[in-house]
Amino acid sequence: MTMQTSAFSLDQAAIGLIERKFGEKRRMAAAREQELFGIFQEELTEEETWALKYLYAYMPVNDMADYDGALFLSHVRTTLAIRKEMPWGERVPDHLFLHFVLPYRVNTENIEDSRGILHEALAERTKSLSMADAILETNYWCHEKATYIGSDLRTISPLTMIRNARGRCGEESTLAVAALRSIGIPARQVYTPRWAHCDDNHAWVEAWADGKWYYFGACEPEARLNQGWFSPPARRAMLINTRIYADYPGPEDITLADEWFTEINLLENYAPTRTITVAVKDRQGKAVSGAQVHFELYNMAEFYPIATIPTNELGEASFKTGYGDLLIRAVRDGAWGERKVTVAESDRIELVLDQAEQPSGTLDLDMVPPPEREGDEAEALSEESIQRHNRRLEEGTKIRTNYEATFLTEADATELAAEFGLPADRVWDVLRKARGNDREIAAFLRERSGEYGEWPLRLLESLNEKDLVDTFRPSLDDHLIGGLAQRGELDETTFVSYVLCPRVLYEMIVPYKRFFQETFAVDAAAIQADPSVLVRKLEDGYAVWEDLQNLKGKGNPVGTYKLMHGDDVSLDILFVAVCRSLGIPARLHPSELKPQYLEGGTWKDAMFAAHAPQEEETKAWGSLRLLRDPEAAPETAEASYYENFTFARLENGRYKTLVYPYGKKDVYDEPFEVEPGFYRLTSGVRLKDGTVQARFAYFKVTAGETTDVVLTYRQAQHDIPVLGKIDRTSALTTLEGTDATLGELIGGSGAIVAWIEPEREPTKHLFREIGELAEPYAKLGAPIVLIIGNAEWTASFDPAAYPNLPSGTVFVRDASYAALPDFIAQSPARDAGYPHLFVLDAVDQIRYTASGYKIGTGKEALQVLSGVWQ
């Protein structure tokens, strides 16, 4: 007879699995037994007990290091109470509740006890609605709180997102999922790891209502579910998935069933799919089990593994994907096999692990994305629904902008700076970036500048922009006072960057300097004399625990130290943090991300066993010098890291892309310091249809020597056809209310004209791209006319929010977008949505057009405009 508990309908098999994994995690976290597991000594209900055991069983090691059991108990009790309170609570099946309501984590965000706070904001707004309408209403609320902006890879928490009032798509969707779970609605963040037809990626939300999953764009409300600007791109995706921290049984397709998480494949809900099976064999033709099969997609000038699946006992790995091209690479014990595959032409391939040495020369590949497809035609919304939706959008924008209007002003910054004799422009810069956390930052400056002069400001300037939104005075005080106590004879630049600054990688900033100064007080002198002593001390009691790849290096160093378990990147961060606390300049190498300390003016590697055999001495590095292609055509794109080239080192059969700043263009000026080894240079030219003309160049870097490599691109043929003609007589209105024709605005030498929706992410990407190219646009001198819609629905739009646009940019209104060329009413432009951009020549002919979300539009438009400009 099958036994089960009344809590969450868990049967005996599920109970046994949770108990086993709970016990394993408890043993691993023995160093924090009381902080984590002391809550089980309290009086708990059966539901509370099993909810906690379930969370602990699959809890990432970083969370066990960084947070206490009281936080998780509060979360569980609040969530169980919400289930009883909300009218649909009993309609949510137990398995959905466990996997998509109970979890406290969505992405890689800092965890806070926020569920009750979000619930209080949303419960009354939603409890009288249907589940589907409650999802829509929650997204209107999210729109009131935040909007899109690109940012770095650290994911801020929902409460920080609200404080900041903006964030990238992964943060918008984290907020929306947390908000829906706070009212008891199952929700999950879904994402395409990388687009096939353009660079970058995207994340959005799926939510469950009365037996069905729906999707929507977080913080970008639509009038109904299963609608979003990303719908057309999603129809060209090669993978759309989500990760669940559990042994999840489906019913969705399971891409990877890891011991600590499950990845499910949701692509067929959005795009046509095909399952491709890879059979991996050795040189003798024998099936190889346990090989890692990487399904790689060209994106951001690298071949990125959108999925990695181990082969089964038959030597096979299967993957459901879209109808585009993939580079598939199988690896086992340093040997590999690789092949480019067009999924539409094959559902089964064989790879032989017959390569152990890097090839030489170059290799050209064409990577073709899935074709554009029309979506199902939806029933037209009533005019009343459209008007109501537009009003809600404008109301939400006003609520958010009114909140932003409470932020400190430049005048406030000037007054604060004058009080302590600080440079006003620099004080304003940090307060501006701090946004809703500006008063906390101002208070820190006010409290500490009198005693420490400019040093508090220097500390703030050492942080990433996003840090200023969620770093508070206890942390700032710790790093200011603890850092200055260790300055010694260091020059100011080295001290600020590598001792005073608390930021190491993408971990949450916490107070740690005083803690490590006290913890290592006895050994401080020995460590300062020889930092390798610290390496041995950390390795003696530290165990590497790997569970979630996306959380590597996200734990804070104090938590990692106390738990004495973590991933290898967390160990590296811990080493750097302890060094800085003791006044030893330390960092993660800018491209290799390996820990280093400064000794005698030279950066030396901290030789952890995770990176190299313990007996190996610090290796000499080599240099990679990129050379310009002397035969490059004049129209060849400017070299830009991650935009059109990267280089990667061969490690254990796979190429690891070196990390340099996105868009780095000074690539010919100085050699790159790199480790010795075999390398692959990848360059790519993306065509208008999304196809990439990629090139591999293979080379070797030798220790102590400089290797010269010519960076070449394949030469694409760019036709500039005539696509139509614009109507110069179209009537528009300036933002000041005066009438103007399109012809008056564009002149007679060529122009860019775009109809935009300023609140939507695709338009904001266009703003960013044109802004980044402001100098070449301004040098060309062509007008850029950006057209927004009805003033009633865009009253809150402020062009001043986009100061980086080229000087020739002008905003005007087209009340009902009536001036749009007729072919925009046809697919695929209609499906793609706004923005609709056109490049015009001197006689008003349309020579280029792009609609909807397409990374790279700004650069393509500039290239075409340069070719037709007179």
Side-chain angles (χ1 to χ4, degrees):
M1 183 178 73
T2 301
M3 297 178 60
Q4 67 177 40
T5 174
S6 60
F8 313 119
S9 307
L10 295 171
D11 61 25
Q12 195 60 41
I15 290 171
L17 188 61
I18 291 171
E19 287 280 24
R20 178 179 67 80
K21 293 191 173 184
F22 173 77
E24 189 171 347
K25 287 291 179 68
R26 190 165 189 169
R27 288 188 292 275
M28 182 271 290
R32 301 195 71 234
E33 167 67 24
Q34 186 56 37
E35 293 94 332
L36 284 167
F37 302 99
I39 54 172
F40 287 94
Q41 298 167 11
E42 298 187 26
E43 187 174 336
L44 303 175
T45 67
E46 184 183 29
E47 277 190 327
E48 289 169 350
T49 298
W50 282 103
L52 285 167
K53 285 188 173 183
Y54 167 82
L55 292 179
Y56 276 108
Y58 299 98
M59 188 174 290
V61 62
N62 287 339
D63 291 352
M64 304 197 89
D66 293 349
Y67 308 106
D68 292 344
L71 172 66
F72 303 120
L73 178 57
S74 173
H75 173 86
V76 162
R77 284 177 168 165
T78 301
T79 303
L80 293 174
I82 289 168
R83 191 182 195 189
K84 293 180 173 65
E85 175 191 338
M86 300 307 290
W88 45 74
E90 293 183 358
R91 303 207 301 272
V92 176
D94 282 351
H95 77 281
L96 289 180
F97 176 81
L98 275 178
H99 295 122
F100 302 111
V101 178
L102 180 62
Y104 59 87
R105 176 175 288 290
V106 179
N107 194 301
T108 60
E109 73 277 14
N110 178 48
I111 303 305
E112 299 168 322
D113 195 4
S114 62
R115 182 145 298 182
I117 296 171
L118 298 176
H119 176 76
E120 186 175 352
L122 282 162
E124 290 303 318
R125 283 179 68 153
T126 57
K127 62 171 46 176
S128 63
L129 304 175
S130 68
M131 288 187 79
D133 285 343
I135 295 168
L136 291 171
E137 183 62 29
T138 298
N139 205 26
Y140 281 120
W141 178 84
C142 290
H143 171 66
E144 295 169 10
K145 300 301 178 185
T147 190
Y148 175 82
I149 188 173
S151 63
D152 67 38
L153 295 176
R154 185 169 70 87
T155 302
I156 57 177
S157 71
L159 296 185
T160 299
M161 182 73 165
I162 293 169
R163 186 185 310 117
N164 197 40
R166 64 187 190 185
R168 57 180 170 79
C169 62
E171 293 163 335
E172 289 179 306
S173 49
T174 295
L175 170 63
V177 169
L180 287 166
R181 290 177 178 176
S182 81
I183 54 172
I185 291 180
R188 58 197 183 195
Q189 181 187 64
V190 301
Y191 50 94
T192 178
R194 293 289 190 275
W195 293 116
H197 69 290
C198 70
D199 290 332
D200 217 331
N201 58 7
H202 189 54
W204 58 92
V205 177
E206 289 187 346
W208 184 91
D210 297 317
K212 184 177 179 180
W213 286 97
Y214 299 87
Y215 74 83
F216 64 89
C219 303
E220 296 182 313
E222 300 284 355
R224 58 184 164 203
L225 297 171
N226 287 349
Q227 185 171 312
W229 61 259
F230 54 87
S231 296
R235 294 196 288 269
R236 304 184 72 184
M238 294 294 283
L239 175 64
I240 293 170
N241 67 344
T242 193
R243 178 173 290 170
I244 302 158
Y245 306 129
D247 288 277
Y248 180 69
E252 299 89 346
D253 288 314
I254 294 174
T255 301
L256 179 63
D258 186 86
E259 184 173 6
W260 305 109
F261 63 88
T262 306
E263 290 184 356
I264 60 174
N265 191 336
L266 304 166
L267 180 62
E268 66 181 4
N269 295 337
Y270 299 86
T273 63
R274 186 171 198 169
T275 298
I276 185 167
T277 298
V278 181
V280 180
K281 298 183 178 180
D282 61 19
R283 293 174 183 268
Q284 289 72 44
K286 182 180 177 181
V288 178
S289 63
Q292 296 293 312
V293 181
H294 307 279
F295 297 85
E296 298 180 342
L297 191 66
Y298 179 96
N299 189 288
M300 294 178 65
E302 66 171 340
F303 279 81
Y304 181 87
I306 58 172
T308 298
I309 302 173
T311 54
N312 58 22
E313 64 277 2
L314 301 176
E316 296 181 348
S318 295
F319 177 51
K320 181 177 285 187
T321 186
Y323 282 77
D325 290 353
L326 291 170
L327 186 65
I328 303 179
R329 187 177 183 92
V331 182
R332 176 70 192 268
D333 298 329
W336 70 86
E338 184 175 73
R339 179 176 162 188
K340 185 206 129 175
V341 174
T342 298
V343 175
E345 298 175 357
S346 178
D347 62 1
R348 184 177 180 87
I349 69 165
E350 181 178 298
L351 286 179
V352 179
L353 303 183
D354 58 357
Q355 299 180 61
E357 294 186 3
Q358 175 174 273
S360 59
T362 62
L363 174 66
D364 290 346
L365 297 171
D366 285 353
M367 302 299 295
V368 182
E372 290 184 308
R373 304 177 190 275
E374 291 189 33
D376 298 331
E377 191 158 345
E379 182 180 346
L381 290 167
S382 68
E383 185 62 26
E384 180 184 359
S385 296
I386 295 172
Q387 296 288 324
R388 183 170 58 249
H389 172 65
N390 286 338
R391 281 194 298 272
R392 294 298 305 276
L393 289 180
E394 181 60 19
E395 289 167 1
T397 300
K398 287 180 178 176
I399 290 171
R400 187 176 64 253
T401 53
N402 286 341
Y403 163 67
E404 291 176 306
T406 67
F407 297 169
L408 295 178
T409 65
E410 188 170 3
D412 296 322
T414 300
E415 181 181 344
L416 175 60
E419 184 179 350
F420 296 100
L422 299 172
D425 57 336
R426 290 167 56 193
V427 172
W428 170 232
D429 188 53
V430 297
L431 293 184
R432 175 182 59 82
K433 292 173 180 175
R435 294 178 63 77
N437 197 41
D438 51 6
R439 285 171 172 79
E440 180 78 1
I441 298 301
F444 169 69
L445 286 172
R446 188 169 284 112
E447 291 171 3
R448 297 302 180 188
S449 296
E451 181 178 359
Y452 295 102
E454 201 172 290
W455 286 114
L457 181 59
R458 293 297 306 275
L459 170 62
L460 294 171
E461 290 173 330
S462 76
L463 302 175
N464 293 342
E465 181 170 341
K466 195 180 288 184
D467 297 335
L468 296 169
V469 184
D470 62 0
T471 305
F472 308 114
R473 276 174 283 177
S475 290
L476 296 170
D477 284 342
D478 173 83
H479 292 290
L480 174 69
I481 298 167
L484 289 174
Q486 300 291 330
R487 185 182 176 188
E489 300 300 319
L490 293 171
D491 67 87
E492 189 169 311
T493 300
T494 300
F495 170 70
V496 171
S497 299
Y498 304 116
V499 174
L500 182 67
C501 177
R503 164 66 57 218
V504 180
L505 190 59
Y506 293 119
E507 74 286 358
M508 186 66 187
I509 291 179
V510 299
Y512 65 69
K513 283 195 169 71
R514 181 178 178 182
F515 173 82
F516 288 130
Q517 287 165 1
E518 292 176 350
T519 300
F520 290 94
V522 173
D523 302 303
I527 294 171
Q528 289 161 343
D530 180 8
S532 65
V533 171
L534 176 61
V535 174
R536 305 286 82 82
K537 279 189 169 293
L538 293 179
E539 285 195 320
D540 284 346
Y542 189 98
V544 174
W545 178 288
E546 298 277 2
D547 44 33
L548 293 174
Q549 281 292 312
N550 66 325
L551 280 171
K552 285 187 71 163
K554 299 298 195 301
N556 79 66
V558 173
T560 300
Y561 178 81
K562 288 182 176 179
L563 190 68
M564 300 309 290
H565 280 78
D567 57 77
D568 55 344
V569 181
S570 294
L571 173 59
D572 296 343
I573 291 170
L574 171 59
F575 172 84
V576 173
V578 175
C579 281
R580 291 184 183 181
S581 300
L582 300 180
I584 304 166
R587 68 177 188 179
L588 298 185
H589 185 274
S591 64
E592 298 289 346
L593 300 183
K594 292 182 178 179
Q596 296 182 313
Y597 56 91
L598 193 65
E599 185 175 85
T602 301
W603 288 105
K604 294 195 173 182
D605 297 339
M607 299 307 295
F608 283 95
H611 297 313
Q614 279 191 254
E615 67 272 16
E616 182 180 345
E617 295 297 325
T618 300
K619 294 183 294 185
W621 290 56
S623 293
L624 163 61
R625 182 165 57 197
L626 289 181
L627 304 178
R628 298 179 189 273
D629 180 6
E631 300 178 2
E635 64 271 16
T636 301
E638 180 184 10
S640 179
Y641 203 80
Y642 281 130
E643 288 193 272
N644 53 36
F645 89 95
T646 58
F647 38 81
R649 186 177 60 255
L650 184 63
E651 290 187 358
N652 300 318
R654 286 210 57 225
Y655 284 98
K656 175 186 175 184
T657 300
L658 273 63
V659 179
Y660 291 101
Y662 176 86
K664 177 180 173 64
K665 293 181 171 60
D666 56 342
V667 298
Y668 301 113
D669 297 347
E670 297 288 340
F672 293 85
E673 181 190 48
V674 297
E675 286 192 297
F678 292 94
Y679 285 81
R680 184 180 74 187
L681 172 66
T682 301
S683 64
V685 177
R686 194 179 287 277
L687 307 182
K688 190 174 185 297
D689 68 355
T691 296
V692 171
Q693 295 182 333
R695 170 169 290 167
F696 292 151
Y698 300 96
F699 58 94
K700 181 182 179 181
V701 174
T702 303
E705 298 182 7
T706 298
T707 300
D708 290 341
V709 180
V710 179
L711 174 56
T712 66
Y713 296 90
R714 296 170 62 189
Q715 297 303 314
Q717 297 298 316
H718 294 284
D719 295 327
I720 309 180
V722 175
L723 304 173
K725 196 160 186 174
I726 208 82
D727 182 2
R728 290 179 65 87
T729 66
S730 297
L732 303 170
T733 307
T734 68
L735 298 190
E736 292 75 30
T738 59
D739 295 334
T741 65
L742 183 57
E744 291 170 339
L745 296 169
I746 63 176
S749 299
I752 286 180
V753 179
W755 279 259
I756 63 176
E757 286 184 326
E759 279 295 301
R760 300 283 178 164
E761 181 175 334
T763 291
K764 292 183 178 183
H765 279 293
L766 180 62
F767 286 159
R768 175 183 57 79
E769 291 184 15
I770 293 177
E772 290 173 350
L773 296 167
E775 185 176 342
Y777 270 114
K779 186 176 181 181
L780 197 61
I784 300 175
V785 181
L786 302 179
I787 305 171
I788 61 177
N790 195 313
E792 183 181 355
W793 314 128
T794 57
S796 299
F797 173 68
D798 183 4
Y802 304 97
N804 298 325
L805 293 175
S807 55
T809 304
V810 59
F811 287 92
V812 292
R813 295 189 187 278
D814 177 5
S816 57
Y817 295 120
L820 266 171
D822 291 341
F823 63 77
I824 293 302
Q826 305 166 10
S827 293
R830 180 196 65 231
D831 289 345
Y834 296 91
H836 298 293
L837 179 143
F838 304 89
V839 175
L840 309 178
D841 62 18
V843 290
D844 306 334
Q845 295 179 127
I846 300 169
R847 309 303 296 274
Y848 169 90
T849 180
S851 294
Y853 173 90
K854 185 184 177 188
I855 302 299
T857 295
K859 187 171 292 185
E860 287 184 359
L862 177 62
Q863 185 178 40
V864 174
L865 186 61
S866 299
V868 301
W869 175 251
Q870 293 184 5

